[in-house]
Amino acid sequence: RTVTDINPNPAYPSAKERNRFEQKSYSPTYGIEFGFFPVKNFFIKTGVNIYQTTEQVRYDIHNRVISAVAAIYGNENDSVTTGSGTQHQNTYNYVQIPIEIGYSRTLVNSFGIMVSGGVAYNKLQNYSYYMYEPYYKNAFIPSTATEAKPYSNMYKSYVMLSGSVGVQYTFGKNWVANLGVNYRKAVTNAADEKYGVEVKPYSVGVLTGLAFKF
């Protein structure tokens, strides 16, 4: 994801702080889709997916803090050794509804190509979020902590553009196996603007599945 400041507020972590400590990660998406061919080789499809995004959050410990302060934020171990690090994973779960148009064609024997693109609406279900605490420099605030309540509604549903390209193999009378790559990029803010940042997740992944043709 990319994070940019839209309304800087000292009460919330800046885009620079988030981009410094939050790194890319790997996560799955799966679901079921339905489509039809209005004309030969061109299709329209939609469906329901379970879409999950994650990020690895790593903070290096540069300062020792008293155990009492660390305990307040649920990170008693963070202040053990100066120069160490601590890492957690943020996870965001969505129900995704894609709408795509595409082109599919058999080229040689049972092998062919497919290309598709469209939009996807990601309906936020829940998230588990650890946030950097700039005041103590090395404290994690887990989403369950009392101090995290001001951020309990930070994230929201958003819209993405998506595109896929790949190969397909037809076997039997009605089955098609697909393998390709997919790119998704948010076009609306995944975070509430009142928190002063614009968060736009993106993903590049491997797309695979089976299709049954009626």
Side-chain angles (χ1 to χ4, degrees):
R1 81 287 171 276
T2 58
V3 183
T4 55
D5 288 315
I6 56 176
N7 183 27
N9 187 328
Y12 302 118
S14 68
K16 181 179 179 180
E17 289 171 335
R18 291 170 57 94
N19 288 325
R20 177 183 176 187
F21 295 112
E22 299 173 3
Q23 307 297 324
K24 64 183 179 181
S25 186
Y26 301 92
S27 55
T29 297
Y30 54 90
I32 184 170
E33 297 181 344
F34 305 90
F36 71 97
F37 288 79
V39 295
K40 185 179 180 180
N41 298 127
F42 289 90
F43 61 85
I44 300 173
K45 67 177 181 178
T46 186
V48 177
N49 298 324
I50 303 301
Y51 181 60
Q52 182 185 91
T53 60
T54 60
E55 59 197 6
Q56 292 294 329
V57 190
R58 179 180 176 83
Y59 302 138
D60 295 323
I61 309 305
H62 299 295
N63 303 318
R64 288 182 64 91
V65 296
I66 59 175
S67 298
V69 173
I72 290 175
Y73 292 100
N75 67 328
E76 295 88 341
N77 296 327
D78 286 6
S79 59
V80 174
T81 305
T82 301
S84 65
T86 181
Q87 181 169 303
H88 293 272
Q89 179 172 281
N90 292 341
T91 302
Y92 314 84
N93 296 300
Y94 302 86
V95 171
Q96 183 182 80
I97 302 176
I99 300 178
E100 294 189 356
I101 59 174
Y103 177 81
S104 173
R105 181 179 179 180
T106 300
L107 298 177
V108 180
N109 296 327
S110 297
F111 289 93
I113 61 170
M114 60 91 179
V115 179
S116 66
V119 299
Y121 177 69
N122 297 322
K123 175 65 176 177
L124 180 64
Q125 299 300 296
N126 57 69
Y127 62 90
S128 176
Y129 181 62
Y130 291 83
M131 189 172 61
Y132 170 62
E133 170 47 64
Y135 295 104
Y136 293 105
K137 305 300 182 184
N138 61 348
F140 266 116
I141 300 180
S143 57
T144 54
T146 301
E147 293 76 15
K149 285 185 177 180
Y151 304 90
S152 60
N153 296 314
M154 183 172 184
Y155 292 94
K156 63 180 184 179
S157 304
Y158 65 99
V159 177
M160 306 185 87
L161 293 179
S162 63
S164 301
V165 60
V167 296
Q168 58 185 22
Y169 176 74
T170 302
F171 60 98
K173 183 179 179 180
N174 303 101
W175 290 97
V176 179
N178 299 310
L179 178 64
V181 294
N182 176 267
Y183 176 77
R184 297 184 176 97
K185 170 65 177 179
V187 293
T188 62
N189 195 351
D192 194 308
E193 287 79 3
K194 72 179 182 180
Y195 293 95
V197 292
E198 181 180 71
V199 181
K200 289 189 174 180
Y202 64 89
S203 64
V204 178
V206 176
L207 172 69
T208 185
L210 289 175
F212 182 80
K213 298 191 298 183
F214 293 95

